[in-house]
Amino acid sequence: MLSELYGSLRVFGPYRPLLRLPFTLATLWGIHTSMSPPTPPPAEDELEEKRSGPQKTSPSNKKAKTDNGFMVRFREGILLKLLPLVVKRIFHVFVSIELAFALLQVFNSNPSSPSTRRFIKFLTPATHSSVDRWTYITDVLQPTPQLILGTVLALSGGLIRRACYAAMREMFTFELSIRKEHKLVTWGPYAYLRHPGYTAAIMAGSGTLLALVVGRGSWSRECLWPMIASAFRTLFSGNQTPPLGLEPVRTLDFDMPVTISVLINAIFLALVIFGPRARKEDEMMEREFGNDWRNWRKRVRWGLLWGVY
């Protein structure tokens, strides 16, 4: 069925590259929504680190506490604040390049202007002449199954994340905090998982990687990767014309090793990055709401991933 659906896209002829645009833009919406805080940062006295107070530390485990404090600051300061901003900007650039190439393929099938040729030369692998580069990108920058799968994941993650924002309203913050008049939210996505916002972020992130970074048919996979490989080979071996090592996407290609590795790494990162934060959040909510939280946990067993955590 997928093969027939993929083959049916050929009926769009020269306009087929435009079919990447709705998927690409939907993917961008999903990751942008997931990485954009819905509310301003909480007041300082609402932050968990301020409310819980200083922890007494015995000399025997002082180093362990210090290391743990460093990881908390790294996770809160870098991974949860700076990283989303940087990642969003990178994906904005990727989508802009995808849009430019799609429009060029549709409305400028024979690029001849100096500005167009410079654009193509700057953003395509250096192993081709200008004409060959144009033939290459028209072959490879096409809708692919990984683009569709990645978009479904990213869009679903963005929608779930928005549902979390709507359920918690001003109580949803990127920082661990208890807002004034905070309530225990047990409806919406929180009726199925205790931390659905993190699950949604994992879905959006892994879907965006598949659609825009490592998936066949994307500018990053088909052009940026070979350009980086070419630069490294030139630097270390002096070979200025290394082969691309990629074939144009003319048939159904799910690239299962890459797809599976992205999904496995998403689960691993979820447990490493979001797992400790989720446990800390559970402790904070249990301390704040007591039996109400414990009863809710009995009803909602899983925190991040059904059957895993």
Side-chain angles (χ1 to χ4, degrees), residues 234-248:
T234 301
L235 179 64
F236 293 107
S237 68
N239 181 9
Q240 298 182 1
T241 57
L244 283 174
L246 294 174
E247 293 295 330

Side-chain angles (χ1 to χ4, degrees), residues 176-192:
L176 283 177
S177 63
I178 295 291
R179 309 303 298 267
K180 294 179 175 62
E181 300 182 359
H182 204 109
K183 299 178 181 178
L184 180 63
V185 176
T186 61
W187 55 86
Y190 296 90
Y192 306 97

Side-chain angles (χ1 to χ4, degrees), residues 30 34 153-154 156-162 164 195-205:
S34 299
L153 284 172
S156 300
L159 291 172
I160 296 173
R161 190 83 161 174
R162 284 295 294 269
C164 294
H195 306 282
Y198 299 151
T199 305
I202 296 165
M203 293 173 62

Side-chain angles (χ1 to χ4, degrees), residues 201-253:
I202 296 165
M203 293 173 62
S206 58
T208 303
L209 285 176
L210 281 176
L212 300 181
V213 181
V214 301
R216 295 307 307 265
S218 67
W219 170 80
S220 173
R221 172 70 182 271
E222 309 296 352
C223 296
L224 183 60
W225 283 26
M227 290 165 64
I228 294 174
S230 176
F232 272 96
R233 292 183 183 183
T234 301
L235 179 64
F236 293 107
S237 68
N239 181 9
Q240 298 182 1
T241 57
L244 283 174
L246 294 174
E247 293 295 330
V249 182
R250 296 192 178 94
T251 59
L252 180 69
D253 183 4

Side-chain angles (χ1 to χ4, degrees), residues 46-264:
E46 295 176 329
L47 293 173
E48 166 63 11
E49 59 183 11
K50 300 295 183 180
R51 299 178 76 256
S52 59
Q55 300 294 323
K56 293 184 178 180
T57 305
S58 62
S60 60
N61 63 356
K62 183 176 181 180
K63 185 177 184 300
K65 289 290 184 180
T66 301
D67 293 341
N68 183 64
F70 170 78
M71 290 304 299
V72 170
R73 290 192 297 272
F74 175 78
R75 190 163 54 243
E76 298 289 332
I78 303 298
L79 296 181
L80 298 176
K81 291 182 180 179
L82 180 61
L83 184 62
L85 180 63
V86 173
V87 169
K88 284 193 296 184
R89 296 298 177 263
I90 292 174
F91 287 136
H92 288 165
V93 172
F94 280 17
V95 170
S96 298
I97 294 173
E98 294 262 1
L99 174 62
F101 272 124
L103 295 178
L104 278 176
Q105 289 181 73
V106 173
F107 300 111
N108 194 5
S109 59
N110 185 23
S112 57
S113 68
S115 59
T116 301
R117 293 174 72 87
R118 283 195 298 269
F119 177 80
I120 296 172
K121 182 179 181 179
F122 183 70
L123 293 173
T124 54
T127 54
H128 299 283
S129 66
S130 295
V131 175
D132 289 338
R133 289 180 184 185
W134 179 251
T135 302
Y136 176 75
I137 64 174
T138 54
D139 278 341
V140 299
L141 300 186
Q142 302 286 347
T144 61
Q146 281 184 311
L147 172 67
I148 298 173
L149 175 61
T151 300
V152 170
L153 284 172
L155 185 60
S156 300
L159 291 172
I160 296 173
R161 190 83 161 174
R162 284 295 294 269
C164 294
Y165 296 165
M168 292 197 67
R169 298 181 179 273
E170 70 279 356
M171 294 179 291
F172 196 111
T173 61
F174 278 22
E175 300 83 3
L176 283 177
S177 63
I178 295 291
R179 309 303 298 267
K180 294 179 175 62
E181 300 182 359
H182 204 109
K183 299 178 181 178
L184 180 63
V185 176
T186 61
W187 55 86
Y190 296 90
Y192 306 97
L193 286 173
R194 296 197 307 280
H195 306 282
Y198 299 151
T199 305
I202 296 165
M203 293 173 62
S206 58
T208 303
L209 285 176
L210 281 176
L212 300 181
V213 181
V214 301
R216 295 307 307 265
S218 67
W219 170 80
S220 173
R221 172 70 182 271
E222 309 296 352
C223 296
L224 183 60
W225 283 26
M227 290 165 64
I228 294 174
S230 176
F232 272 96
R233 292 183 183 183
T234 301
L235 179 64
F236 293 107
S237 68
N239 181 9
Q240 298 182 1
T241 57
L244 283 174
L246 294 174
E247 293 295 330
V249 182
R250 296 192 178 94
T251 59
L252 180 69
D253 183 4
F254 230 119
D255 201 357
M256 290 303 294
V258 171
T259 302
I260 294 175
S261 66
V262 167
L263 299 179
I264 292 176

